[in-house]
Amino acid sequence: MLALPSVAAAANGGPDAWGYTWADTNDPSGPPGTYYYAPGSPLGLGDDDSQVVALGFSFEFYGITYTDVRVHSNGAITFGTGGSTLSFINQCPLSNYGNDIAAPFWDDLDPSATNSLGVYAGTGTDPGGNLVFIAEWYYIENFAGTGDVTLEVQLHDVDDHIEFVYLDTDLGSSTYTNGASASVGIYGGALLSPSCNSSSLLTDGYGIGFYPPPPVTDADGDGWDASTDCDDGNPSINPGMAEACDSIDNDCDGSIDEGYDNDGDGWTTCAGDCLDNNASINPGASEACDGLDQDCDGSVDEGFDGDGDGWTTCGGDCVDNNAGISPGATEVCDGIDQDCDGNVDEGFDGDGDGWTTCAGDCNDTNAAINPGAPEICDSADNDCDGNADEGFDADGDGYEACDGDCDDSDAGVFPGAVEICDFVDNDCDLVVDEGFDLDGDGFLTCDGDCDDGDIFIYPGAPEICDGADSDCDGINADLIDGDGDGWLACDDPADCDDADASINPAATDIPGDGIDQDCDGEDPLPPGDDDDVSDDDDVSDDDDATDDDDDGPDDDDDDDATDDDDVSDDDDSDSVGDDDDSADDAWWDDDEGVQGTDADAATSRSTTFGCACNASTASASPVVGGLALLILGLVRRRD
């Protein structure tokens, strides 16, 4: 076979419905355009004639395997043995023919013409040793007699592809030259026609290759051949698979992980999008301090932890320049919110008053005691300022009412003060002026007791003749002459009425006037009446000057029946001497031991009261008189 170079315009096309494509000699994917002379002798075809020729190998065309072809005189071959007639009138498109056909130059050619050199067909080998079937129209004239063409069809066993190679297409007429009257292409259930009656395509030295789809193989056994299975080595990848998010085109549609980018940010979860419903979060995003992992690197807010404690401000770190303060820190009692929960020293307020010991609560078991509490007077430091009851010592004596100061308006009154006699409880022991009633008379010196060593001297005491101011009125009654008569009530003898100057021991007593002018203790009877002061003589008393009572010895009292002297009249019939006065008169005894003699009471007083007497004198002794008065005064006090 002779190989000749070819030159033609570059073009390509397809695939058709079956998957065949075509490319010409000037296309990088096209055939080399090598012309091979068919072996053997001319087939001897006449005008509109054909002949079946064996290929010598099996050739697959549009899914059907053939071992024979029919070579037609009119510039085409058909596959198999049928269709012996191929009309010289070309069909555009080729599908109108109805059989499997490869037509390099379907036109009205005449191999029987005088100048036609013949139609050849046979099988040879290419330079690589691969079988090639060639049907060659060698210098075959056009039926119109305008010239001839030389061209061929090559069927390559190695990959079942077809080549048309044109050595001479100049028929000497614009109507036929370069395929102006020819149909060019293949048909076998689908149509691939590079040219149909076009004068611009077929030129001398031109070639066209027709390539079937890749061989149908299913290396991974998933039921999909390699022509459609985009990974025939992986049974989980083929057009029938559902797309999974794994960065692989599982369904062989040319898209990867389609349907797995929910937020449309160009990142799927399998490509690292850690939050596929937020377009601002993906591996390509910039990290922001918001508690989110924007860049999906597994770290949150990296670069935003100023103190390196693992917490950012947006993550809750309330002090990002102190590693000891963060939401994960343990709260301690120091007035700082260590755990950033908004509470300070929680868990360290024992009494629940809102104050902790570290915040100044000096008694965390008592809610009424804390730095914010008002100070009250209770001997406690309520406001925890180190002072108890400040502001409650009105008199400045160092004691408050709650300390026991019973009068906080008087600086001299407080617990422990020295008690003085002033009617005040100075030492606040609930006792007033204790220790200031030495004589126990119930009166103090500050009460006016002018002698607190004498129980009988006190304000209101009865005044007695004792040489003292018994009633403490500032007046010693013993030294006062109330009526100016020269006699005192405490004299001996005493002025028995110091308000009447006519009554005193030196006054003359007027008998029978009911007044003791001379203070001798009695009012003398008128002359002739010897009844004593106890005698209750009344108007019916018939004692008179003629009364025969006398002083004679053994003289009985002859008061008669008309004498109404009562039982107090102690006249008796003593034969020794008549005792005419009251037997129980304490003042004197008028019996002088002389029978029948009744002594006058007034003449005997000085011998029985306030004096020291003997048988020869009646003068008073001042010493004895004073002793008698003292004894009398003591008797009165005890009463």
Side-chain angles (χ1 to χ4, degrees), residues 39 46 60 95 104 110 163 300 342 397 407 414 468 486 550 590:
E60 184 174 330
S95 59
D110 184 6
E163 290 185 27
V300 175
D397 59 7
D407 185 352
F414 55 85
D550 58 29
D590 66 353

Side-chain angles (χ1 to χ4, degrees), residues 254-588:
S255 299
I256 296 176
D257 299 335
E258 64 272 19
Y260 288 93
D261 181 13
N262 294 324
D263 52 18
D265 58 4
W267 293 85
T268 61
T269 54
C270 49
D273 194 338
C274 51
L275 187 59
D276 201 37
N277 60 3
N278 188 331
S280 66
I281 297 178
N282 57 64
S286 297
E287 190 69 16
C289 190
D290 57 1
L292 300 175
D293 179 15
Q294 266 86 8
D295 56 6
C296 296
D297 64 351
S299 299
V300 175
D301 301 333
E302 61 271 22
F304 292 94
D305 181 10
D307 52 18
D309 58 4
W311 294 85
T312 62
T313 52
C314 50
D317 195 340
C318 50
V319 180
D320 201 35
N321 61 2
N322 188 332
I325 299 177
S326 69
T330 300
E331 190 73 14
V332 298
C333 192
D334 59 358
I336 297 174
D337 179 15
Q338 269 86 11
D339 56 6
C340 295
D341 64 353
N343 299 309
V344 176
D345 301 335
E346 63 271 21
F348 292 93
D349 181 9
D351 52 18
D353 59 4
W355 293 85
T356 60
T357 53
C358 51
D361 194 337
C362 52
N363 187 343
D364 204 36
T365 62
N366 188 333
I369 297 178
N370 58 65
E375 190 69 21
I376 61 175
C377 192
D378 59 356
S379 301
D381 180 13
N382 306 93
D383 57 6
C384 295
D385 64 351
N387 301 307
D389 302 334
E390 63 272 20
F392 289 93
D393 181 11
D395 54 14
D397 59 7
Y399 289 84
E400 295 86 27
C402 45
D403 286 332
D405 193 337
C406 51
D407 185 352
D408 202 35
S409 64
D410 189 338
V413 177
F414 55 85
V418 176
E419 187 73 19
I420 60 176
C421 191
D422 58 357
F423 306 106
V424 175
D425 180 13
N426 305 90
D427 56 6
C428 296
D429 64 353
L430 304 181
V431 180
V432 177
D433 298 336
E434 64 271 22
F436 288 94
D437 182 12
L438 299 179
D439 55 14
D441 60 5
F443 290 85
L444 315 176
T445 55
C446 48
D447 279 334
D449 191 339
C450 51
D451 186 352
D452 202 36
D454 189 332
I455 193 173
F456 296 107
I457 297 177
Y458 54 85
E463 189 70 43
I464 61 176
C465 291
D466 56 359
D469 181 11
S470 306
D471 59 4
C472 294
D473 61 357
I475 301 173
N476 188 343
D478 297 356
L479 304 177
I480 296 175
D481 180 8
D483 52 12
D485 60 2
W487 291 84
L488 306 178
C490 292
D491 277 348
D492 183 14
D495 189 340
C496 58
D497 186 351
D498 203 34
D500 189 338
S502 66
I503 299 175
N504 58 65
T508 300
D509 201 351
I510 300 174
D513 64 357
I515 299 173
D516 180 15
Q517 280 90 355
D518 59 2
C519 296
D520 63 356
E522 65 179 18
D523 180 23
L525 296 172
D529 185 356
D530 61 355
D531 287 347
D532 60 19
V533 295
S534 63
D535 187 2
D536 61 352
D537 292 342
D538 56 20
V539 294
S540 63
D541 188 355
D542 61 355
D543 287 347
D544 56 23
T546 62
D547 188 351
D548 60 357
D549 287 348
D550 58 29
D551 298 326
D554 299 18
D555 187 7
D556 292 330
D557 188 357
D558 60 354
D559 288 345
D560 57 23
T562 62
D563 186 356
D564 61 354
D565 290 346
D566 59 19
V567 292
S568 63
D569 186 357
D570 60 355
D571 289 349
D572 58 20
S573 58
D574 187 345
S575 62
V576 177
D578 185 8
D579 185 0
D580 195 41
D581 62 4
S582 173
D584 59 358
D585 190 342
W587 286 99
W588 68 64

Side-chain angles (χ1 to χ4, degrees), residues 35-118:
Y35 193 91
Y36 300 107
Y37 290 104
S41 301
L43 296 180
L45 296 180
D47 185 34
D48 296 327
D49 195 4
S50 67
Q51 182 176 325
V52 175
V53 179
L55 298 175
F57 57 87
S58 297
F59 187 84
E60 184 174 330
F61 184 70
Y62 281 98
I64 300 174
T65 300
Y66 297 97
T67 59
D68 301 290
V69 295
R70 184 179 290 275
V71 179
H72 294 269
S73 60
N74 285 331
I77 65 173
T78 58
F79 291 89
T81 59
S84 61
T85 300
L86 180 61
S87 172
F88 66 86
I89 300 174
N90 60 51
Q91 303 292 315
C92 290
L94 296 179
S95 59
N96 290 339
Y97 173 65
N99 287 38
D100 295 344
I101 185 173
F105 200 96
W106 184 5
D107 199 357
D108 189 10
L109 301 179
D110 184 6
S112 65
T114 302
N115 294 324
S116 296
L117 297 182

